[in-house]
Amino acid sequence: MANHASALKRVRQSEKRSLRNKSRKTAVKTVTKRLEAMISESKPEEAAGQFKKAQKMIAKNAAKGVFHRKTASRKISRMAKRLNSITSS
């Protein structure tokens, strides 16, 4: 265990950050699952709204360092591809 005050503080900070990041990642998973459900039910109008919400949330989390920017870009791209598959057909 850490002995210095700065090391103890760093442990406290990292615990807070990991909890915060975990909740943000969970929220992104929830939004993504809702979008997938709407896509599978072929509801393009509702799915488009959900996609916009998910895209915003993922981009915001990437800016805050929860996700790497390329990971966020890949997630958004794949969601858009799936959304376009039901919209175009």
Side-chain angles (χ1 to χ4, degrees):
M1 186 63 194
N3 292 326
H4 297 287
S6 61
L8 291 169
K9 182 178 178 181
R10 180 59 66 191
V11 168
R12 289 194 307 269
Q13 287 175 334
S14 65
E15 285 176 359
K16 281 184 196 174
R17 286 192 180 116
S18 65
L19 280 173
R20 193 178 308 131
N21 289 345
K22 189 176 184 180
S23 70
R24 287 177 178 167
K25 283 183 182 183
T26 305
V28 167
K29 285 179 189 176
T30 304
V31 170
T32 306
K33 284 180 185 175
R34 284 184 189 149
L35 176 64
E36 287 295 327
M38 289 177 189
I39 289 171
S40 66
E41 294 171 5
S42 295
K43 297 180 179 178
E45 297 85 22
E46 294 173 20
Q50 188 70 19
F51 172 71
K52 193 172 181 180
K53 184 178 178 182
Q55 183 180 15
K56 183 178 178 182
M57 186 180 286
I58 291 170
K60 200 179 274 190
N61 284 329
K64 293 181 181 190
V66 178
F67 297 116
H68 190 273
R69 61 185 175 82
K70 290 189 177 184
T71 303
S73 179
R74 185 179 64 244
K75 286 177 182 290
I76 292 168
S77 175
R78 288 179 181 171
M79 285 190 302
K81 192 175 179 181
R82 286 191 290 267
L83 179 64
N84 289 337
S85 69
I86 65 159
T87 313
S88 62
S89 59

